[in-house]
Amino acid sequence: MRRRKWIVAATGITAALALAAAGALAADDVIKIGACQPITGRFAFAGVSINAGLQDYINYANENGLVKGKKLVYIYEDTGYDTDKAVATFKKIMAKDNPVIMYGDSTGLGKAIAPELNSRYKVLYGSTSFSSELADPKIHPYSFVSGPTYSDQFGILLEYIAKNHKGKGNPKVAFFYSDTEFGKDPIPYARKRAKELGIDVVSEIVTKVGAVDVTTEALALKKTQPDFCIFQGYVLAPIPQVIRTVRDYGLKTTFMGTFWSMDKSIIDKLGADAEGYMGVSPYAYYNEDAPGIQSMRKYNEKANPKEKSRPNSYIQGWFTGMVYVEAINKVLAAKKPVTGDNLKDAIGMIRDWDTGGVTGKVTFVNNKAAVGRVYRANVVKGIFEPVSDWIYVK
Amino acid sequence: MRIGDYKETYAADEAIFRTPAVRVWMGALGATMLVFPFVAGDYLLYLANLIGVMIIGALGLNILTGFTGQISLGHAVFVGVGSYAAAIGATRLGLPFYLCIPLGGAAACVAGTVIGVPSLRVKGLYLAIATLSAQVILEWVFSNWDSVTGGIRGINVPPATLSGVSLNTDFRVYFLIYAVTAAFTYFARNLFRTRVGRAFIAIRDRDISAELMGINLFRYKILSFMVSSFYAGVAGAVWVYFAKVVTPEYFPLSLSIQFLAIVIVGGLGSIQGTILGAIFMTLVPELLKAGTEAVKPFFPDAMSYLFPLRDILFGALIVGFLIFEPHGLAEMWQRVKRYFALWPFRS
């Protein structure tokens, strides 16, 4: 009897040790990436694709062995695009899986989690946000923006305008933005930058998101006759209404947008009114032929044969995955442990990185890669076509 | 098992915790809540803190709507006023948290008093719209009065410190939140054993007869608004120390509606119901989420349908509750208690 107990105990201890060893081994070979994704709620239209893009790239990296000797594991949960729930989800994933990289669903989460991210969690943090506020390494040392901030996007458009404006006098520009954080984010910088480039900001119009009656705003545009009007802080409404009304007044204004109003779907919604619609995109589109985009398409033909096209938010997710993998590889190349601190330093060391044409050459300064390209809508083909090369701003 | 409910003194009749059983249970609850943060993980602690803040805010709304019968669609902005006042107190004036929390309450109280003035003339749906305007106006003020509120980017707030200890983790904030929650629950419970509280209830039940009984309607309605928005302000101030950032996007109309949902689902005119409502409204979405997460490995493709379905299910659950138990969770709780009071001798 005594003997049997002893054997049981010995077996138990051996099993426990073996399990612990296996666990340690597994933990060494696995790099966990957690994500709080806005799969439901107001932002779901993009959240679903962002999640798909990020997840697909991680699978793609695993299949192609892009991270030598390690397996990436992707853990995601829905937040409903609610800051409180997103914070809860963040903490839940950190407590359960303890990943070294996290992905967040909003600017709000980035701000709310910042104190604890800096003092406690210390993980690399990417997000859906292009907010200029996150591009401050002093307050947000662990965060990065997957591309240019909204300010940079305005900078790119304004530079394009200054260079390509034909006609007498300074180009006249109107800013048309929503009364939200998303809408107001780049405006102070844009005012300053316009002045430096010799562009006259002739009017600034602020509305609610999704405003339906835009007659007064269109009249204001008619009065000031801008050559260009840049939208910020909208996804769709009221952009079509504004363009239609202004066209009815016979204005020749060129309308422009930033990332969220630059998806292919806006051309479908605008129809013939999309003619001449322009804007800045941080990434190439799914229909382009850059090698990075081709391998993205090839992956999708195999893994998701039902998806014939992918929105720009999918590419945003995919690109964020690329940044994660690049940072991990930089840390591994330096023979350092994969920790949030090392990853965050690695982001800052990314210089002139070739992404295979998914975007321009990527250099991270102040937590962001300030590169983008100006595109114009081709109504007949229903796609955006580049009208400039990659533009780099500071 | 409880047999009789026999009281020998007025003091016993008026006691808050009337029977030894209740006292034992309350003691057990208190002990559990003290032990909870030591055993709970980050995620549960965060949810618990969230619930604590919601309880304070919802108690305020229940005092106004459930006990005084004055509907308000602007409760979220009073929470906001409290948050901003506390944030400004903590950052610009450098006040400690034990001054910032009453400051938040006081600021919201002033705002509530102003908004409450029309309540003498307008009632019911009209009052709902009047308070809705407060929601719209103050929300606009939060995002546009840049020099005070920091505009759309809001204010970052350092953690509260108590004699050198920084309350910078959920574990430490838990004690702050629940100390305040307990104090305010106790106050609310006591309020309705006083002349003021009974006047509130009289106004709710029939304002004209309340006036005939000598209750000054204007005074008590304003008082109700003041108490209610003071609660909201305190909730906001405590929330600031919990979230450490305040932006206008935290106080949308949907938060006001969530507060209303808490008091309706929990039980109008019930302190206990408010607490149950806050727990229900915070935990059930999380439970539903956990449910959908659990089936994720089996139906990876169905997720895009299942996630939105969760919201529908949550909505259906609330409607179901209201149809089958219009008095809310508080009444269900009472029924359960009654059942067990004589169990197992009567079912």
Side-chain angles (χ1 to χ4, degrees):
Chain A
M1 201 59 192
R2 207 129 142 243
R3 198 182 130 99
R4 215 163 109 194
K5 257 189 193 162
W6 190 85
I7 289 172
V8 169
T11 324
I13 290 169
T14 320
L17 279 176
L19 268 176
L25 202 76
D28 220 31
D29 285 344
V30 161
I31 296 173
K32 286 181 184 167
I33 299 171
C36 312
Q37 292 284 13
I39 294 170
T40 57
R42 280 185 294 131
F43 198 46
F45 70 91
V48 173
S49 321
I50 293 172
N51 186 41
L54 184 54
Q55 189 170 28
D56 282 359
Y57 186 77
I58 289 167
N59 287 338
Y60 171 84
N62 281 334
E63 281 174 20
N64 293 285
L66 297 186
V67 181
K68 290 251 153 39
K70 306 265 178 187
K71 187 171 179 287
L72 305 179
V73 173
Y74 182 63
I75 304 133
Y76 73 94
E77 279 196 27
D78 174 41
T79 63
Y81 201 59
D82 176 302
T83 310
D84 288 340
K85 290 206 182 97
V87 173
T89 310
F90 190 104
K91 296 192 167 182
K92 189 173 158 197
I93 295 178
M94 284 309 299
K96 211 172 79 194
D97 295 297
N98 197 22
V100 287
I101 298 175
M102 281 297 281
Y103 188 81
D105 68 342
S106 59
T107 312
L109 173 60
K111 283 159 80 164
I113 204 73
E116 279 169 286
L117 187 61
N118 299 342
S119 65
R120 210 165 139 230
Y121 293 123
K122 298 182 192 286
V123 294
L124 180 64
Y125 176 80
S127 75
T128 61
S129 172
F130 291 103
S131 167
S132 313
E133 213 182 343
L134 296 180
D136 183 342
K138 270 189 229 92
I139 309 170
H140 299 283
Y142 289 90
S143 308
F144 71 91
V145 177
S146 300
T149 61
Y150 293 125
S151 296
D152 297 330
Q153 295 182 29
F154 262 70
I156 290 164
L157 286 176
L158 291 171
E159 232 165 73
Y160 177 84
I161 290 170
K163 215 180 272 175
N164 293 284
H165 175 63
K166 295 181 199 83
K168 273 177 269 167
N170 289 347
K172 290 194 287 181
V173 174
F175 297 153
F176 199 113
Y177 53 94
S178 69
D179 185 18
T180 58
E181 206 240 311
F182 170 25
K184 289 178 168 179
D185 181 78
I187 300 303
Y189 171 81
R191 287 184 196 131
K192 196 178 106 220
R193 189 70 189 133
K195 210 179 221 170
E196 287 168 7
L197 290 167
I199 296 169
D200 295 335
V201 180
V202 291
S203 76
E204 282 192 28
I205 297 163
V206 191
T207 71
K208 291 244 171 260
V209 180
V212 182
D213 179 22
V214 288
T215 326
T216 27
E217 287 80 9
L219 277 172
L221 286 179
K222 192 186 172 195
K223 220 179 350 186
T224 50
Q225 302 269 340
D227 302 311
F228 298 90
C229 173
I230 307 178
F231 291 108
Q232 167 68 17
Y234 308 105
V235 175
L236 193 65
I239 295 177
Q241 292 85 333
V242 173
I243 295 183
R244 248 163 241 156
T245 320
V246 167
R247 290 282 179 261
D248 286 348
Y249 292 152
L251 255 71
K252 294 265 176 286
T253 307
T254 302
F255 288 96
M256 295 179 143
T258 54
F259 183 75
W260 297 112
S261 49
M262 276 301 283
D263 183 46
K264 203 181 98 56
S265 57
I266 199 165
I267 304 182
D268 307 335
K269 295 266 167 55
L270 279 169
D273 289 319
E275 195 58 62
Y277 181 78
M278 295 172 81
V280 54
S281 172
Y283 320 112
Y285 286 89
Y286 195 68
N287 58 291
E288 290 187 43
D289 286 325
I293 300 286
Q294 277 179 357
S295 41
M296 183 192 299
R297 278 206 302 267
K298 212 170 280 165
Y299 174 84
N300 270 290
E301 275 160 24
K302 190 164 57 73
N304 316 300
K306 271 187 282 179
E307 304 289 345
K308 294 291 170 234
S309 179
R310 289 291 198 176
N312 60 355
S313 41
Y314 177 86
I315 299 174
Q316 185 195 11
W318 181 280
F319 175 69
T320 308
M322 291 175 74
V323 177
Y324 286 161
V325 168
E326 180 70 9
I328 294 169
N329 280 332
K330 271 203 159 13
V331 171
L332 291 176
K335 299 217 166 15
K336 284 188 199 158
V338 183
T339 61
D341 277 295
N342 289 336
L343 286 168
K344 137 203 119 168
D345 295 340
I347 293 278
M349 285 189 283
I350 295 178
R351 293 277 173 282
D352 289 325
W353 169 41
D354 183 3
T355 56
V358 173
T359 175
K361 289 253 187 292
V362 171
T363 299
F364 272 95
V365 177
N366 288 338
N367 303 345
K368 58 176 177 144
V371 52
R373 197 173 201 178
V374 180
Y375 283 79
R376 183 188 285 129
N378 180 328
V379 177
V380 181
K381 290 190 193 157
I383 55 169
F384 279 107
E385 289 176 333
V387 291
S388 78
D389 207 344
W390 293 106
I391 297 175
Y392 300 86
V393 292
K394 276 191 192 116
Chain B
M1 192 182 79
R2 203 174 74 196
I3 296 175
D5 203 2
Y6 176 65
K7 288 163 194 129
E8 290 180 319
T9 61
Y10 284 116
D13 194 35
E14 287 183 343
I16 291 188
F17 307 125
R18 288 185 191 171
T19 61
V22 170
R23 281 192 285 274
V24 168
W25 282 116
M26 285 308 291
L29 178 67
T32 316
M33 287 182 57
L34 274 179
V35 174
F36 175 79
F38 293 94
V39 291
D42 268 0
Y43 170 62
L44 285 180
L45 260 178
Y46 180 85
L47 288 182
N49 287 345
L50 208 58
I51 290 172
V53 176
M54 291 310 273
I55 288 175
I56 306 172
L59 276 175
L61 187 63
N62 215 343
I63 288 171
L64 183 68
T65 305
F67 286 101
T68 323
Q70 310 296 305
I71 193 165
S72 168
L73 283 177
H75 204 61
V77 286
F78 297 128
V79 176
V81 170
S83 289
Y84 275 107
I88 291 164
T91 52
R92 298 224 190 128
L93 311 178
L95 297 176
F97 78 90
Y98 46 83
L99 292 181
C100 284
I101 292 174
L103 177 72
C109 184
V110 171
T113 312
V114 175
I115 303 302
V117 169
S119 68
L120 187 68
R121 305 297 293 272
V122 293
K123 285 184 209 166
L125 285 176
Y126 298 91
L127 184 62
I129 297 299
T131 51
L132 183 63
S133 72
Q135 168 81 37
V136 175
I137 293 167
L138 285 172
E139 220 183 310
W140 189 87
V141 169
F142 293 157
S143 60
N144 286 285
W145 196 9
D146 288 25
S147 58
V148 172
T149 62
I152 217 90
R153 290 193 169 174
I155 306 172
N156 288 307
V157 184
T161 46
L162 182 61
S163 55
V165 180
S166 171
L167 304 181
N168 54 357
T169 60
D170 286 347
F171 175 79
R172 290 173 183 169
V173 172
Y174 175 90
F175 294 100
L176 170 68
I177 290 177
Y178 277 93
V180 177
T181 308
F184 276 75
T185 309
Y186 185 73
F187 179 84
R189 185 70 186 81
N190 258 329
L191 179 65
F192 297 99
R193 312 197 303 148
T194 64
R195 180 190 156 82
V196 176
R198 292 187 197 287
F200 287 174
I201 295 171
I203 292 172
R204 174 193 68 190
D205 290 345
R206 177 64 75 195
D207 53 354
I208 294 172
S209 42
E211 198 169 17
L212 285 174
M213 281 190 283
I215 292 168
N216 182 338
L217 279 192
F218 186 63
R219 190 175 150 218
Y220 281 102
K221 278 185 178 176
I222 289 287
L223 201 58
S224 180
F225 264 98
M226 285 172 75
V227 174
S228 160
S229 42
F230 186 83
Y231 267 75
V234 168
V238 171
W239 189 85
V240 158
Y241 285 110
F242 167 47
K244 299 179 191 75
V245 61
V246 47
T247 69
E249 296 184 350
Y250 280 114
F251 313 105
L253 178 61
S254 58
L255 181 65
S256 290
I257 292 169
Q258 196 185 345
F259 274 123
L260 265 182
I262 287 176
V263 299
I264 292 171
V265 168
L268 282 166
S270 160
I271 303 295
Q272 201 177 36
T274 313
I275 296 169
L276 294 175
I279 295 172
F280 179 88
M281 293 293 287
T282 313
L283 285 192
V284 170
E286 290 294 321
L287 289 176
L288 288 173
K289 191 175 131 187
T292 42
E293 298 288 343
V295 299
K296 194 158 72 182
F298 308 109
F299 309 99
D301 290 339
M303 283 337 280
S304 47
Y305 307 108
L306 277 179
F307 276 129
L309 202 63
R310 199 175 63 211
D311 292 344
I312 297 173
L313 201 64
F314 185 47
L317 211 54
I318 293 176
V319 173
F321 264 130
L322 293 183
I323 292 174
F324 297 109
E325 189 48 89
H327 294 292
L329 294 168
E331 185 58 31
M332 294 181 74
W333 176 246
Q334 293 300 335
R335 272 220 309 264
V336 170
K337 256 175 44 183
R338 272 200 299 276
Y339 175 82
F340 281 104
L342 293 175
W343 187 86
F345 298 106
R346 210 202 82 192
S347 61

